[in-house]
Amino acid sequence: MNRLALILLVVLGTARAATADPVIGRVLTAPTAWLPEQGTLVGTAGVDRRGDGSVLLAYGLGLASIEFGTDTDVRGCTACDGDLKGDALWLGRAAFRLGARQDAWFPGMPAVVVGLRNTFAARGHKFGGARVTDAYLVGSRVLGPVRLHIGGSVTDGGFRQVSLGPTVRPLAGFEWTPVPYPKTSVLGDVMWIPKLELDHVKLEWVAGWGVRYQALKYGSIELAVRHRQDEGLQESTVLVRVNGVWNPRRDPPKNRIADR
Amino acid sequence: MKKVCGLVLTTVLISAAIARAQPPPLPGDGGGGDGGSATGSGAQIGSDAATGDQPLTGNPPTGPDQPADPYANQPAVDTPRHSVTPRGPINMPEVLTTPTGWLLPAAVIYSRTSIDTGGGVTSDWRVGLGDVAEFGLATTDAVREKMTLQDKQVDRIQPYVTASFRLGVSEDRLFEHQPGITLGFRKSFERNHDNFRTRIAELTLVASKHLGKNTAIHLGGAFWDASLAGAIDGDPESRREMTLHDGDFKDQIKVFGGIEVRPLPRSQILVDLGWSPEFCYYCSEDKDKIRLRPTLSWGVRYAVADFMNLESGVRVPDIASANLLDAQIFGQVTFTSWALRRAVDSLK
């Protein structure tokens, strides 16, 4: 065990970090410790086969980033006996993430982020006053072709006078970019998310896997599958998502045709 | 008669518009005053000797016996109007929610507009007075209300309008290593919400000190008061007023503070701990009807430009209750303007 830990430390210490950290703030569901550069705007929009999805915008503030948008990660069911999958709840989401990049304090240090994500404008559906807050600590590190993300979250959720109470769960994810396919990454992650039921709130795991293709210098597209704890395999969702990165202070991407 | 009056008025107005005060004589050049006693002054005006190769504009050289032409253009005096005043980033009067020991420079206008995920919208406008004081008007969403002690949901009373006045001395002004110190007073206008009338007031003394170029700390104490009036005993027929100072004196005194660290040239990490009043309308005991709750905030200030900052972070209004659902993510933009200072300087 000690030997394994030693090997892991050596690998972490000698792994060459990318010249600049990636900027996408989550794998599929789980957050990463990557922060957008100062002044960089990152946009994400996705839709799944049920018509649910997400639209998120993140802005880099140097040491931190702020995110705004909406998603349907949280679900609720009022008749949970017959319909375990529940209904997607469109919730306004905002997040503040503060952290340090790889190797910022010492060589081999993973990128670290402390984040808090909560809901706003969560009125107007069956779960009046629905609110969900995640506080998390996550570390990310580039290890050759793999980017590993490991952390933990404290999650609370509720509606009306019902609440879950702060609950601790782990989170993890990876991005693997095979050497022969430098524009393609295989993604996988797991995270726990609140599910609102008639008279209580519980946490359910969400596991996802998929592929991200870096089609453009400033844009990528993802195709992925997500499974939830109380859903059978047939209820798993397939989603497609696009990401765009824009930094007005940087030189605009060169004309790719001219590059050739 | 009317025509004559109109003509006179027009003439006076036109003359007034183009009139210029006679410039004062330059010292040592004979001056206009001496010119009157100098010999042959009238002959010099417009003479070849006077003009020669000299430019028609500008003050020709004059000898001791030659009077200066008082109407000649004076050489440009180096008095730039727009660059003499200091400009650029200033020390901010607030960390995130707590005041600092730094005052706005004289005639500098400061504004801050904030929104958060709890639906709060606030605005804060201040102006520096003579480098020793500051006046401001603001709306705050920090004052909260609930019906009973058991309520999990605490609502905010907003907008809650306050006026503030702060005075103090800037850092290193009196002696070396002296922290910036301000004595501030903030008072709300009376707010009537759900038939309950509330008011707050806060007296603060805070010191701020830079530790090196990239770190600063703030430490202060606040003396609070608040009042609540209405049917606070649950009986609509029985209305009464109670205040925070009816209770224990030490419940009114709170310590607050904050820290600023600048790891990157344009970005600062900010953390502060302050206090906010919370009214509980139907709490059974008076000591629970007005309470001060600790508010923890942390975030980042990003200097977009010298006159503009973006701030974002997390605010937990009642950190003592460890209610994660209460946490708010906020974004705010601050602007500072030297325009009034420049206008004032240009009048001098």
Side-chain angles (χ1 to χ4, degrees):
Chain A
M1 190 63 186
N2 284 342
R3 188 175 296 174
L4 198 64
L6 191 64
I7 291 171
L8 189 62
L9 274 177
V10 171
V11 168
L12 284 174
T14 54
R16 190 174 63 85
T19 49
D21 287 357
V23 295
I24 307 288
R26 41 120 199 90
V27 187
L28 288 167
T29 311
T32 69
W34 311 136
L35 288 171
E37 280 181 35
Q38 194 164 282
T40 298
L41 192 66
V42 180
T44 296
V47 64
D48 67 20
R49 68 177 183 84
R50 293 175 182 162
D52 307 326
S54 63
V55 179
L56 291 167
L57 279 176
Y59 184 72
L61 299 167
L63 304 155
S65 73
I66 185 164
E67 289 180 8
F68 275 99
T70 180
D71 67 27
T72 53
D73 285 354
V74 177
R75 290 173 182 265
C77 62
T78 50
C80 303
D81 291 341
D83 181 16
L84 286 178
K85 71 176 186 292
D87 299 322
L89 304 177
W90 284 95
L91 298 176
R93 304 300 292 254
F96 177 75
R97 294 151 48 80
L98 176 67
R101 298 174 194 283
Q102 290 185 107
D103 305 317
W105 300 332
F106 55 87
M109 176 195 135
V112 178
V113 156
V114 178
L116 190 134
R117 185 170 71 143
N118 70 3
T119 52
F120 64 93
R123 294 181 173 85
H125 43 67
K126 296 173 194 167
F127 297 92
R131 54 203 188 277
V132 173
T133 302
D134 308 306
Y136 55 80
L137 172 68
V138 60
S140 298
R141 179 77 193 170
V142 177
L143 301 168
V146 179
R147 298 166 187 162
L148 269 183
H149 315 280
I150 296 173
S153 67
V154 182
T155 304
D156 199 355
F159 57 96
R160 299 190 194 99
Q161 295 293 321
V162 178
S163 69
L164 171 72
T167 309
V168 180
R169 288 286 184 276
L171 61 89
F174 73 91
E175 303 166 61
W176 171 48
T177 307
V179 176
Y181 307 103
K183 288 187 170 185
T184 304
S185 299
V186 178
L187 316 173
D189 69 355
V190 63
M191 190 183 179
W192 273 258
I193 285 178
K195 182 180 180 186
L196 312 184
E197 299 194 346
L198 197 57
D199 55 357
H200 70 284
V201 180
K202 70 175 195 176
L203 287 179
E204 61 174 3
W205 56 255
V206 178
W209 54 275
V211 170
R212 178 182 299 148
Y213 178 64
Q214 191 71 37
L216 302 165
K217 195 173 179 179
Y218 47 79
S220 61
I221 185 166
E222 296 167 8
L223 185 64
V225 179
R226 290 206 294 188
H227 310 280
R228 289 175 183 263
Q229 184 171 348
D230 284 338
E231 295 177 353
L233 197 59
Q234 76 278 10
E235 295 294 348
S236 298
T237 50
V238 177
L239 66 91
V240 62
R241 195 153 56 185
V242 291
N243 306 301
V245 179
W246 183 58
N247 187 337
R249 293 190 175 191
R250 276 192 165 184
D251 295 335
K254 290 177 183 171
N255 185 325
R256 301 190 67 81
I257 296 172
D259 283 350
R260 293 173 204 162
Chain B
M1 186 65 187
K2 276 188 178 179
K3 277 186 179 176
V4 174
C5 277
L7 194 64
V8 170
L9 190 63
T10 307
T11 308
V12 168
L13 286 174
I14 292 173
S15 308
I18 60 175
R20 291 288 183 274
Q22 177 173 313
L26 292 178
D29 65 354
D34 294 336
S37 59
T39 57
S41 64
Q44 300 298 321
I45 297 174
S47 70
D48 291 342
T51 54
D53 292 334
Q54 298 302 321
L56 294 175
T57 58
N59 208 19
T62 55
D65 56 344
Q66 281 183 317
D69 176 5
Y71 298 99
N73 293 340
Q74 298 297 323
V77 180
D78 189 19
T79 54
R81 288 183 175 182
H82 297 293
S83 58
V84 288
T85 55
R87 280 193 279 177
I90 59 168
N91 292 320
M92 289 291 173
E94 284 207 334
V95 188
L96 286 169
T97 59
T98 59
T100 67
W102 298 322
L103 290 166
L104 292 176
V108 166
I109 296 172
Y110 162 95
S111 81
R112 190 187 66 187
T113 306
S114 170
I115 58 169
D116 64 47
T117 54
V121 180
T122 64
S123 184
D124 187 355
W125 288 80
R126 302 174 188 225
V127 60
L129 305 171
D131 288 325
V132 291
E134 179 187 300
F135 172 74
L137 278 174
T139 62
T140 178
D141 59 355
V143 182
R144 309 201 309 160
E145 62 173 3
K146 60 182 182 181
M147 294 298 151
T148 66
L149 198 59
Q150 288 73 35
D151 274 355
K152 286 184 178 174
Q153 182 116 10
V154 185
D155 295 323
R156 293 187 284 188
I157 308 174
Q158 64 169 337
Y160 214 96
V161 183
T162 63
S164 67
F165 179 75
R166 304 197 311 146
L167 60 86
V169 285
S170 58
E171 217 172 326
D172 300 321
R173 172 75 63 169
L174 301 177
F175 52 88
E176 203 177 355
H177 303 306
Q178 171 234 321
I181 297 174
T182 59
L183 178 69
F185 182 65
R186 181 172 68 134
K187 189 178 186 313
S188 76
F189 295 82
E190 188 172 86
R191 181 74 160 90
N192 193 336
H193 193 238
D194 291 343
N195 286 325
F196 292 98
R197 286 184 293 114
T198 57
R199 283 179 300 168
I200 62 165
E202 180 191 18
L203 183 69
T204 56
L205 180 66
V206 56
S208 297
K209 180 75 186 140
H210 281 100
L211 304 174
K213 281 169 61 180
N214 297 321
T215 307
I217 56 168
H218 314 275
L219 189 65
F223 182 70
W224 281 89
D225 203 356
S227 76
L228 168 64
I232 55 179
D233 297 318
D235 178 7
E237 302 300 318
S238 164
R239 297 176 67 85
R240 71 180 173 97
E241 181 170 7
M242 63 160 300
T243 62
L244 188 60
H245 67 254
D246 292 337
D248 201 346
F249 177 74
K250 64 176 186 247
D251 287 344
Q252 293 180 261
I253 298 174
K254 298 292 178 190
V255 175
F256 63 87
I259 187 165
E260 301 181 15
V261 181
R262 190 195 303 272
L264 295 177
R266 301 177 78 88
S267 299
Q268 283 178 288
I269 295 175
L270 314 171
V271 181
D272 71 4
L273 178 70
W275 298 82
S276 303
E278 182 183 288
F279 295 101
C280 178
Y281 297 142
Y282 298 121
C283 281
S284 53
E285 295 192 40
D286 275 3
K287 69 178 177 60
D288 295 328
K289 289 186 188 297
I290 304 176
R291 297 194 302 167
L292 297 172
R293 309 305 297 159
T295 300
L296 179 68
S297 309
W298 69 89
V300 164
R301 178 180 294 147
Y302 171 49
V304 179
D306 282 352
F307 61 90
M308 179 183 176
N309 291 297
L310 285 180
E311 294 170 6
S312 180
V314 179
R315 182 167 52 222
V316 188
D318 186 359
I319 190 69
S321 71
N323 185 351
L324 201 57
L325 293 174
D326 254 1
Q328 301 148 8
I329 293 166
F330 64 87
Q332 57 196 29
V333 57
T334 63
F335 292 99
T336 52
S337 169
W338 293 84
L340 180 61
R341 171 71 166 265
R342 284 198 296 268
V344 170
D345 285 349
S346 70
L347 294 174
K348 288 177 182 172

Coordinates of all heavy atoms in Angstrom, one line a residue, chain B residues 157-214:
Chain B
I157 N -35.6 42.1 4.0 CA -36.4 43.3 3.8 C -35.7 44.2 2.9 O -34.6 44.6 3.2 CB -36.6 44.0 5.2 CG1 -37.2 43.0 6.2 CG2 -37.6 45.2 5.0 CD1 -37.2 43.7 7.6
Q158 N -36.2 44.4 1.7 CA -35.5 45.2 0.7 C -36.5 45.9 -0.2 O -37.6 45.4 -0.4 CB -34.5 44.4 0.0 CG -35.1 43.3 -0.9 CD -34.2 42.7 -1.9 OE1 -33.2 43.3 -2.2 NE2 -34.4 41.5 -2.3
P159 N -36.2 47.1 -0.6 CA -34.9 47.8 -0.3 C -35.0 48.4 1.0 O -36.1 48.8 1.5 CB -34.9 48.9 -1.4 CG -36.3 49.1 -1.8 CD -37.0 47.8 -1.6
Y160 N -33.9 48.5 1.7 CA -33.7 49.1 3.0 C -32.7 50.2 2.8 O -31.5 50.0 2.5 CB -33.2 48.1 4.0 CG -33.7 48.2 5.4 CD1 -34.7 47.4 5.8 CD2 -33.1 49.1 6.3 CE1 -35.2 47.5 7.1 CE2 -33.5 49.2 7.6 CZ -34.6 48.4 8.0 OH -35.0 48.5 9.3
V161 N -33.2 51.5 2.9 CA -32.4 52.6 2.5 C -31.6 53.1 3.7 O -32.2 53.3 4.8 CB -33.2 53.7 1.9 CG1 -32.4 54.9 1.4 CG2 -34.1 53.2 0.7
T162 N -30.3 53.3 3.5 CA -29.5 53.8 4.6 C -28.7 55.0 4.1 O -28.4 55.2 2.9 CB -28.5 52.8 5.1 OG1 -27.6 52.4 4.0 CG2 -29.2 51.5 5.6
A163 N -28.3 55.9 5.0 CA -27.4 57.0 4.8 C -26.2 56.8 5.7 O -26.3 56.3 6.8 CB -28.1 58.3 5.0
S164 N -25.0 57.2 5.2 CA -23.8 56.9 6.0 C -22.9 58.2 5.9 O -22.9 58.9 5.0 CB -23.1 55.7 5.5 OG -22.6 55.9 4.2
F165 N -22.2 58.3 7.0 CA -21.2 59.4 7.1 C -20.0 58.8 7.8 O -20.1 58.2 8.8 CB -21.7 60.6 7.8 CG -20.7 61.7 7.9 CD1 -20.4 62.5 6.8 CD2 -19.9 61.9 9.1 CE1 -19.4 63.5 6.9 CE2 -19.0 62.9 9.2 CZ -18.7 63.7 8.1
R166 N -18.8 59.0 7.1 CA -17.6 58.4 7.8 C -16.5 59.5 7.7 O -16.4 60.3 6.8 CB -17.1 57.2 7.0 CG -18.1 56.1 6.9 CD -17.5 54.8 6.5 NE -16.6 54.9 5.4 CZ -15.6 54.1 5.2 NH1 -15.3 53.2 6.2 NH2 -14.8 54.2 4.2
L167 N -15.7 59.5 8.8 CA -14.6 60.4 8.8 C -13.4 59.7 9.3 O -13.5 58.7 10.1 CB -14.9 61.7 9.6 CG -15.2 61.6 11.0 CD1 -14.0 61.6 11.9 CD2 -16.1 62.8 11.4
G168 N -12.2 60.2 9.0 CA -11.0 59.5 9.5 C -9.8 60.1 8.9 O -9.8 61.1 8.2
V169 N -8.7 59.3 9.1 CA -7.4 59.7 8.5 C -6.9 58.6 7.7 O -7.0 57.4 8.1 CB -6.4 60.1 9.6 CG1 -6.7 61.5 10.2 CG2 -6.3 59.1 10.7
S170 N -6.2 58.9 6.7 CA -5.7 57.9 5.8 C -4.4 57.3 6.4 O -3.8 57.8 7.3 CB -5.4 58.5 4.4 OG -4.5 59.5 4.5
E171 N -4.0 56.2 5.8 CA -2.8 55.4 6.3 C -1.6 56.3 6.2 O -1.4 57.0 5.3 CB -2.7 54.2 5.4 CG -2.3 53.0 6.1 CD -2.3 51.7 5.2 OE1 -3.2 51.7 4.3 OE2 -1.5 50.9 5.4
D172 N -0.7 56.2 7.2 CA 0.6 56.9 7.3 C 0.4 58.4 7.3 O 1.4 59.1 7.1 CB 1.5 56.5 6.2 CG 1.8 55.0 6.2 OD1 1.9 54.4 7.2 OD2 1.8 54.4 5.1
R173 N -0.7 58.9 7.6 CA -0.9 60.4 7.6 C -0.3 61.0 8.8 O 0.4 62.0 8.7 CB -2.4 60.7 7.5 CG -2.8 62.1 7.6 CD -2.4 62.9 6.4 NE -3.2 62.5 5.2 CZ -3.2 63.1 4.1 NH1 -2.6 64.3 4.0 NH2 -3.9 62.7 3.1
L174 N -0.5 60.5 10.0 CA -0.1 61.1 11.2 C 1.3 60.7 11.6 O 2.1 61.5 12.1 CB -1.1 60.8 12.3 CG -2.5 61.2 12.1 CD1 -3.4 60.8 13.3 CD2 -2.6 62.7 12.0
F175 N 1.6 59.4 11.4 CA 2.9 58.9 11.6 C 3.1 57.7 10.8 O 2.2 57.1 10.3 CB 3.1 58.6 13.1 CG 2.1 57.7 13.7 CD1 2.2 56.4 13.7 CD2 0.9 58.3 14.3 CE1 1.2 55.6 14.2 CE2 -0.1 57.5 14.8 CZ 0.1 56.1 14.8
E176 N 4.4 57.3 10.7 CA 4.7 56.1 9.9 C 4.1 54.9 10.5 O 4.0 54.7 11.7 CB 6.2 55.9 9.8 CG 6.7 55.1 8.6 CD 8.2 55.0 8.6 OE1 8.9 55.6 9.4 OE2 8.7 54.3 7.7
H177 N 3.6 54.0 9.6 CA 2.9 52.7 10.0 C 1.6 53.0 10.7 O 1.0 52.0 11.2 CB 3.8 51.9 10.9 CG 5.2 51.6 10.2 ND1 5.3 51.0 9.0 CD2 6.4 51.8 10.7 CE1 6.5 50.9 8.7 NE2 7.3 51.3 9.7
Q178 N 1.1 54.2 10.6 CA -0.3 54.4 11.2 C -1.3 53.8 10.3 O -1.3 54.0 9.0 CB -0.5 55.9 11.3 CG -1.9 56.2 11.7 CD -2.6 57.2 10.8 OE1 -1.9 58.1 10.3 NE2 -3.8 57.0 10.4
P179 N -2.2 52.9 10.8 CA -3.2 52.4 9.9 C -4.2 53.5 9.5 O -4.4 54.5 10.2 CB -3.9 51.3 10.8 CG -3.6 51.7 12.2 CD -2.3 52.5 12.2
G180 N -4.9 53.2 8.4 CA -6.0 54.1 8.1 C -7.2 53.9 9.1 O -7.5 52.7 9.4
I181 N -7.7 54.9 9.6 CA -8.8 54.8 10.6 C -10.0 55.6 10.2 O -9.9 56.7 9.8 CB -8.3 55.3 12.0 CG1 -7.1 54.4 12.5 CG2 -9.4 55.2 13.1 CD1 -6.4 55.0 13.7
T182 N -11.2 55.0 10.4 CA -12.4 55.7 10.1 C -13.4 55.4 11.2 O -13.5 54.3 11.7 CB -13.0 55.3 8.8 OG1 -13.4 53.9 8.8 CG2 -12.2 55.6 7.6
L183 N -14.1 56.5 11.5 CA -15.3 56.4 12.4 C -16.5 56.6 11.5 O -16.6 57.7 10.9 CB -15.2 57.5 13.5 CG -16.3 57.5 14.5 CD1 -16.3 56.3 15.4 CD2 -16.2 58.8 15.3
G184 N -17.4 55.7 11.5 CA -18.5 55.7 10.6 C -19.8 55.6 11.3 O -19.9 54.9 12.3
F185 N -20.8 56.2 10.7 CA -22.2 56.1 11.3 C -23.1 55.8 10.1 O -23.1 56.5 9.1 CB -22.6 57.4 12.0 CG -24.0 57.2 12.6 CD1 -24.2 56.3 13.6 CD2 -25.0 58.0 12.2 CE1 -25.5 56.2 14.2 CE2 -26.3 57.9 12.7 CZ -26.5 57.0 13.7
R186 N -23.9 54.8 10.3 CA -24.9 54.4 9.2 C -26.2 54.3 9.9 O -26.4 53.7 10.9 CB -24.5 53.1 8.6 CG -25.4 52.6 7.5 CD -24.8 51.4 6.8 NE -24.8 50.2 7.6 CZ -25.2 49.0 7.2 NH1 -25.7 48.9 6.0 NH2 -25.2 48.0 8.1
K187 N -27.2 54.9 9.2 CA -28.5 54.9 9.8 C -29.6 54.7 8.7 O -29.4 55.2 7.6 CB -28.8 56.2 10.5 CG -30.1 56.2 11.3 CD -30.3 57.5 12.0 CE -31.5 57.4 12.9 NZ -32.7 56.8 12.3
S188 N -30.6 53.9 9.0 CA -31.6 53.6 8.0 C -32.7 54.6 8.1 O -33.0 55.1 9.2 CB -32.1 52.2 8.2 OG -33.0 52.1 9.2
F189 N -33.4 54.7 7.0 CA -34.7 55.4 7.1 C -35.7 54.3 7.6 O -35.5 53.1 7.6 CB -35.2 55.8 5.7 CG -34.3 56.9 5.1 CD1 -33.1 56.5 4.5 CD2 -34.6 58.2 5.2 CE1 -32.2 57.5 3.9 CE2 -33.8 59.2 4.6 CZ -32.6 58.8 4.0
E190 N -36.8 54.8 8.2 CA -37.8 53.9 8.8 C -38.4 53.0 7.7 O -38.7 53.5 6.6 CB -38.8 54.6 9.5 CG -39.7 53.7 10.3 CD -40.7 54.5 11.2 OE1 -41.8 54.9 10.7 OE2 -40.3 54.7 12.4
R191 N -38.5 51.7 7.9 CA -39.1 50.8 6.9 C -40.3 50.2 7.5 O -40.3 49.6 8.6 CB -38.0 49.8 6.6 CG -38.4 48.8 5.5 CD -38.4 49.4 4.2 NE -38.3 48.5 3.1 CZ -39.4 48.0 2.5 NH1 -40.6 48.3 2.9 NH2 -39.3 47.1 1.5
N192 N -41.4 50.3 6.7 CA -42.6 49.6 7.1 C -42.9 48.4 6.2 O -43.1 48.6 5.0 CB -43.8 50.6 7.0 CG -45.0 50.1 7.7 OD1 -45.2 49.0 7.9 ND2 -45.9 51.1 8.1
H193 N -42.8 47.2 6.8 CA -43.0 46.0 6.0 C -43.9 45.1 6.8 O -43.7 44.8 8.0 CB -41.6 45.4 5.8 CG -41.6 44.3 4.8 ND1 -41.3 43.0 5.1 CD2 -42.0 44.3 3.5 CE1 -41.4 42.2 4.0 NE2 -41.8 43.0 3.0
D194 N -45.0 44.6 6.1 CA -46.0 43.8 6.8 C -46.5 44.4 8.1 O -46.7 43.6 9.1 CB -45.4 42.4 7.1 CG -45.1 41.6 5.8 OD1 -45.7 42.0 4.8 OD2 -44.3 40.6 5.8
N195 N -46.7 45.6 8.1 CA -47.2 46.4 9.3 C -46.2 46.3 10.5 O -46.6 46.5 11.6 CB -48.5 45.8 9.7 CG -49.6 46.3 8.8 OD1 -49.6 47.4 8.3 ND2 -50.6 45.4 8.6
F196 N -45.0 46.1 10.2 CA -43.9 46.2 11.2 C -43.0 47.3 10.8 O -42.5 47.2 9.7 CB -43.2 44.8 11.4 CG -44.1 43.7 12.0 CD1 -44.7 42.8 11.2 CD2 -44.3 43.7 13.4 CE1 -45.5 41.8 11.7 CE2 -45.1 42.7 13.9 CZ -45.7 41.7 13.1
R197 N -42.7 48.2 11.7 CA -41.8 49.3 11.4 C -40.5 49.0 12.0 O -40.4 48.7 13.2 CB -42.4 50.6 11.9 CG -43.5 51.2 11.1 CD -44.0 52.5 11.6 NE -44.6 52.5 12.9 CZ -44.1 53.0 14.0 NH1 -42.9 53.7 13.9 NH2 -44.7 52.9 15.2
T198 N -39.5 49.1 11.2 CA -38.1 48.7 11.7 C -37.1 49.8 11.3 O -37.3 50.5 10.3 CB -37.6 47.4 11.1 OG1 -37.6 47.5 9.7 CG2 -38.5 46.2 11.5
R199 N -36.1 49.9 12.1 CA -35.0 50.9 11.8 C -33.7 50.2 12.3 O -33.7 49.5 13.3 CB -35.2 52.2 12.6 CG -36.2 53.1 11.9 CD -36.3 54.4 12.7 NE -36.7 54.2 14.1 CZ -36.7 55.0 15.1 NH1 -36.3 56.3 14.8 NH2 -37.1 54.8 16.3
I200 N -32.6 50.6 11.7 CA -31.3 50.1 12.2 C -30.3 51.3 12.2 O -30.5 52.3 11.5 CB -30.7 49.0 11.4 CG1 -30.4 49.5 9.9 CG2 -31.6 47.8 11.4 CD1 -29.5 48.6 9.2
A201 N -29.3 51.2 13.1 CA -28.3 52.2 13.1 C -27.0 51.5 13.6 O -27.0 50.5 14.3 CB -28.6 53.3 14.1
E202 N -25.9 52.0 13.0 CA -24.6 51.3 13.3 C -23.5 52.3 13.4 O -23.3 53.2 12.5 CB -24.3 50.3 12.2 CG -23.0 49.5 12.3 CD -22.6 48.8 11.1 OE1 -23.2 49.1 10.0 OE2 -21.8 47.8 11.1
L203 N -22.7 52.3 14.5 CA -21.6 53.1 14.7 C -20.3 52.2 14.6 O -20.2 51.2 15.3 CB -21.6 53.8 16.0 CG -20.5 54.8 16.3 CD1 -20.6 56.0 15.5 CD2 -20.6 55.2 17.8
T204 N -19.4 52.5 13.7 CA -18.3 51.7 13.5 C -17.0 52.4 13.7 O -16.9 53.6 13.3 CB -18.3 51.0 12.1 OG1 -18.3 52.1 11.1 CG2 -19.4 50.1 11.9
L205 N -16.0 51.7 14.2 CA -14.6 52.3 14.2 C -13.7 51.1 13.6 O -13.7 50.0 14.1 CB -14.2 52.6 15.7 CG -12.8 53.1 15.8 CD1 -12.6 54.5 15.2 CD2 -12.4 53.2 17.3
V206 N -13.0 51.5 12.6 CA -12.3 50.4 11.9 C -10.9 50.9 11.5 O -10.7 52.1 11.2 CB -13.1 49.9 10.7 CG1 -13.4 51.0 9.7 CG2 -12.3 48.8 9.9
A207 N -9.9 50.0 11.6 CA -8.6 50.3 11.2 C -8.2 49.4 10.1 O -8.5 48.2 10.1 CB -7.6 50.2 12.4
S208 N -7.4 49.9 9.1 CA -7.0 49.1 7.9 C -5.5 49.4 7.7 O -5.0 50.5 7.8 CB -7.7 49.5 6.7 OG -9.1 49.2 6.8
K209 N -4.8 48.3 7.4 CA -3.3 48.4 7.3 C -2.8 47.5 6.1 O -3.2 46.4 6.1 CB -2.7 48.0 8.6 CG -1.2 48.1 8.6 CD -0.7 49.5 8.7 CE 0.8 49.6 8.5 NZ 1.3 50.8 7.7
H210 N -2.0 48.1 5.3 CA -1.4 47.3 4.3 C -0.2 46.6 4.9 O 0.6 47.2 5.6 CB -0.8 48.2 3.1 CG -1.9 48.6 2.2 ND1 -2.5 49.9 2.2 CD2 -2.5 48.0 1.1 CE1 -3.4 50.0 1.2 NE2 -3.4 48.8 0.6
L211 N -0.1 45.3 4.6 CA 1.1 44.5 5.0 C 1.8 44.1 3.8 O 1.5 43.2 3.1 CB 0.6 43.3 5.8 CG -0.3 43.5 7.0 CD1 -0.8 42.2 7.6 CD2 0.5 44.3 8.1
G212 N 2.8 44.9 3.4 CA 3.5 44.7 2.1 C 2.6 45.3 1.0 O 1.6 46.0 1.3
K213 N 3.0 44.9 -0.2 CA 2.3 45.5 -1.4 C 0.9 44.8 -1.7 O 0.0 45.4 -2.2 CB 3.2 45.5 -2.6 CG 4.2 46.5 -2.6 CD 5.2 46.3 -3.7 CE 4.6 46.3 -5.1 NZ 5.6 46.0 -6.1
N214 N 0.9 43.6 -1.3 CA -0.3 42.8 -1.8 C -1.2 42.3 -0.7 O -2.1 41.4 -1.0 CB 0.3 41.6 -2.6 CG 1.1 42.0 -3.8 OD1 0.7 43.0 -4.4 ND2 2.2 41.4 -4.0

